[in-house]
């Protein structure tokens, strides 16, 4: 039987990262190859050791954990190197960066600039490590907001799976990112669900977010169906002799696109695909010869369908983070906050719909 080679931490050379020129304490972050079981010192499982030189005052001002650790009666308070086990060094660097960046002098310093730059390339997967470690060290999430804003602006997030962006943008209070991720999911995903993070199963959205997204997707289907029904209903109410033929041609073309009936089409396809299919209506519709000259039947059905799709494309702008986050009401009264946002969001959507209708009427 092969025996595993033991590699005590002494054998691994620590990587030194100077977070600030004012550093007066070293926080040693040790990452292991696997999660340690209780009682395991992990000496044979060390993956990396990183020594972060940080400023004690910055740490104790932002974290009750470090306040106790670095100023209390713990042995650590008198040591110049304090060990923190089982944290990801890049995630920790992002946290140190976020905390030190509250000081303008630091952000403008060459040290601050280069440290910050290194953290902006962090992968979207590592964001949960950042959040998890911040929680562990009792650091308020709000302290990470500005750093996350920089991270978000730095990368091209258009190709990132919105499911991965959902939780970090929610937790790190990025309204624009949260709206973009939720919008993308509602239009481009068939199944609205959150990805389970295997390393951090405690990190997930409150259930209402997914509920709201499912509701939004349902709403889009209803609006699209209503738009189409209005045309069908208009033909049914017609008094001309060509309405039957026109209705048949209309329904036939809808069926041929593959995007109709909407509910059925949206069962296996994202709303975006259904809209693309329906936008192809033009290729399948053949106006019956009898309908020429009939004011009702000679409607431009293709552009009517394009308009219906445009209304649905414009309807949902993503979830409003303020509405979701009732734990931090913007107004004094949580309930006022709830109703206030709901009304404003509805007005915003109605305004958009009104604008679209105006455009349509002008045509
Ligand atoms: Zn007619
Ligand atoms: Zn709102």
């Amino acid at each position: 039987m092969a025996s595993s080679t033991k590699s005590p931490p002494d054998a691994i050379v620590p990587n030194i990262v100077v977070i600030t020129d004012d550093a007066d304490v070293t926080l040693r972050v040790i990452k292991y190859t696997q999660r340690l079981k209780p009682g395991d010192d992990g000496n044979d499982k060390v993956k990396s050791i990183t020594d972060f030189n940080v400023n004690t005052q910055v740490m104790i001002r932002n974290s009750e954990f470090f306040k106790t650790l670095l100023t209390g009666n713990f042995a650590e308070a008198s040591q110049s190197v304090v060990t923190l086990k089982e944290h990801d060094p890049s995630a920790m660097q992002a946290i140190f960066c976020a905390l030190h960046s509250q000081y303008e002098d630091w952000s403008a310093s060459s040290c601050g600039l280069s440290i910050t730059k290194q953290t902006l390339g962090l992968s979207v997967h590592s964001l949960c490590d950042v959040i998890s470690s911040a929680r562990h060290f009792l650091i308020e999430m709000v302290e990470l907001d500005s750093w996350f804003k920089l991270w978000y602006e730095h990368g091209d997030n258009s190709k990132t799976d919105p499911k991965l962006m959902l939780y970090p943008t929610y937790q790190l209070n990025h309204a624009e990112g949260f709206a973009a991720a939720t919008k993308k999911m509602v239009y481009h995903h068939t199944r609205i669900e959150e990805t389970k993070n295997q390393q951090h199963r405690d990190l997930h959205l409150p259930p209402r977010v997914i509920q709201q997204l499912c509701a939004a997707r349902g709403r889009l289907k209803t609006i699209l169906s209503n738009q189409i029904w209005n045309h069908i209903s208009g033909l049914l109410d017609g008094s001309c002799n060509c309405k039957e033929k026109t209705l048949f041609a209309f329904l036939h073309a809808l069926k041929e696109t593959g995007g109709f009936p909407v509910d059925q089409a949206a069962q296996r396809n994202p709303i975006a695909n259904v809209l693309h299919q329906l936008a192809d209506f033009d290729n399948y519709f053949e106006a019956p010869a009898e309908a020429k000259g009939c004011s009702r039947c000679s409607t431009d059905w293709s552009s009517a369908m394009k308009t219906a799709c445009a209304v649905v494309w414009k309807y949902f702008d993503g979830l409003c983070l303020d509405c979701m986050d009732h734990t931090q009401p913007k107004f004094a009264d949580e309930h006022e906050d709830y109703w206030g946002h709901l009304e404003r969001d509805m007005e915003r959507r109605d305004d958009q719909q009104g604008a679209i209708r105006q455009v349509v009427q002008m045509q």
Side-chain angles (χ1 to χ4, degrees), residues 152 155-162 165 184:
Y152 190 88
D156 172 16
N157 303 311
S158 62
K159 290 190 184 70
T160 309
D161 184 348
M165 286 300 232
K184 204 166 167 186

Side-chain angles (χ1 to χ4, degrees), residues 55-99:
N55 182 280
T56 307
Q57 287 306 314
V58 174
M59 296 314 296
I60 65 178
R61 236 175 278 159
N62 286 289
S63 151
E64 284 300 317
F65 182 99
F66 283 112
K67 192 173 172 187
T68 311
L69 190 72
L70 301 174
T71 64
N73 293 325
F74 287 93
E76 282 86 350
S78 56
Q79 289 170 359
S80 58
V81 178
V82 176
T83 301
L84 311 169
K85 291 182 165 190
E86 293 197 87
H87 291 273
D88 181 75
S90 353
M92 289 307 292
Q93 182 166 338
I95 292 174
F96 296 139
C97 169
L99 300 184

Side-chain angles (χ1 to χ4, degrees), residues 25-312:
V25 67
T26 297
L27 299 179
R28 170 164 291 181
V29 174
I30 306 182
K31 189 178 182 174
Y32 297 92
T33 50
Q34 63 191 71
R35 190 164 281 195
L36 299 186
K37 293 197 174 73
D40 185 355
D41 64 8
N43 281 351
D44 56 343
K45 302 184 188 74
V46 175
K47 191 173 182 190
S48 71
I49 302 175
T50 313
D51 282 351
F52 290 101
N53 298 343
V54 302
N55 182 280
T56 307
Q57 287 306 314
V58 174
M59 296 314 296
I60 65 178
R61 236 175 278 159
N62 286 289
S63 151
E64 284 300 317
F65 182 99
F66 283 112
K67 192 173 172 187
T68 311
L69 190 72
L70 301 174
T71 64
N73 293 325
F74 287 93
E76 282 86 350
S78 56
Q79 289 170 359
S80 58
V81 178
V82 176
T83 301
L84 311 169
K85 291 182 165 190
E86 293 197 87
H87 291 273
D88 181 75
S90 353
M92 289 307 292
Q93 182 166 338
I95 292 174
F96 296 139
C97 169
L99 300 184
H100 285 75
S101 70
Q102 294 160 0
Y103 305 89
E104 268 175 42
D105 292 352
W106 182 85
S107 298
S109 71
S110 63
C111 183
L113 287 171
S114 72
I115 289 296
T116 309
K117 207 174 164 195
Q118 285 168 18
T119 63
L120 299 183
L122 213 63
S123 80
V124 66
H125 296 279
S126 303
L127 293 174
C128 282
D129 293 330
V130 176
I131 294 168
S132 175
S133 291
R135 277 195 179 178
H136 179 89
F137 295 120
L138 306 177
I139 295 164
E140 300 272 354
M141 287 303 145
V142 65
E143 311 296 352
L144 305 177
D145 288 0
S146 315
W147 171 79
F148 184 62
K149 203 162 172 279
L150 287 178
W151 180 90
Y152 190 88
E153 284 161 9
H154 176 263
D156 172 16
N157 303 311
S158 62
K159 290 190 184 70
T160 309
D161 184 348
K163 276 207 271 188
L164 297 174
M165 286 300 232
L166 217 49
Y167 180 71
T169 51
Y170 172 84
Q171 190 64 81
L172 299 173
N173 200 29
H174 199 290
E176 186 197 322
F178 184 68
T182 49
K183 179 176 181 176
K184 204 166 167 186
M185 277 185 77
V186 165
Y187 282 98
H188 295 274
H189 287 200
T190 311
R191 284 172 64 93
I192 307 280
E193 58 189 5
E194 191 178 4
T195 322
K196 191 198 274 175
N197 187 315
Q198 296 297 350
Q199 273 81 46
H200 307 289
R201 296 171 71 173
D202 56 326
L203 302 187
H204 57 79
L205 296 162
R208 65 175 174 276
V209 174
I210 297 298
Q211 285 160 7
Q212 287 282 322
L213 292 181
C214 291
R217 190 175 189 273
R219 185 94 188 100
L220 294 185
K221 287 194 292 182
T222 307
I223 292 168
L224 185 53
S225 301
N226 286 349
Q227 295 275 330
I228 296 172
W229 170 250
N230 287 344
H231 295 308
I232 295 171
S233 162
L235 281 170
L236 288 172
D237 291 342
S239 52
C240 57
N241 292 326
C242 38
K243 62 179 182 183
E244 284 92 350
K245 291 221 157 154
T246 308
L247 180 60
F248 179 85
F250 182 70
L251 288 174
H252 184 259
L254 281 178
K255 178 177 177 274
E256 289 300 303
T257 63
F260 185 81
V262 173
D263 253 320
Q264 215 168 308
Q267 232 163 39
R268 281 185 208 87
N269 292 298
I271 299 288
N273 289 19
V274 176
L275 291 172
H276 286 312
Q277 286 175 311
L278 288 173
D280 251 2
F281 179 89
D282 205 13
N283 294 333
Y284 301 102
F285 182 71
E286 254 178 79
E290 295 90 330
K292 279 210 177 87
C294 169
S295 64
R296 183 182 294 274
C297 295
S298 61
T299 300
D300 183 350
W301 298 108
S302 297
S303 69
M305 281 310 297
K306 285 203 169 72
T307 304
C309 292
V311 169
V312 178

Side-chain angles (χ1 to χ4, degrees), residues 3-14:
S3 65
S4 63
T5 328
K6 288 216 166 192
S7 60
D10 300 345
I12 294 181
V13 181

Side-chain angles (χ1 to χ4, degrees), residues 319-324 337-338 340-345 348:
L319 285 184
C320 169
L321 188 55
D322 282 326
C323 293
M324 286 296 116
D337 184 55
Y338 174 81
H341 272 287
L342 216 60
E343 279 159 20
R344 277 194 296 284
D345 288 354
R348 198 182 64 196

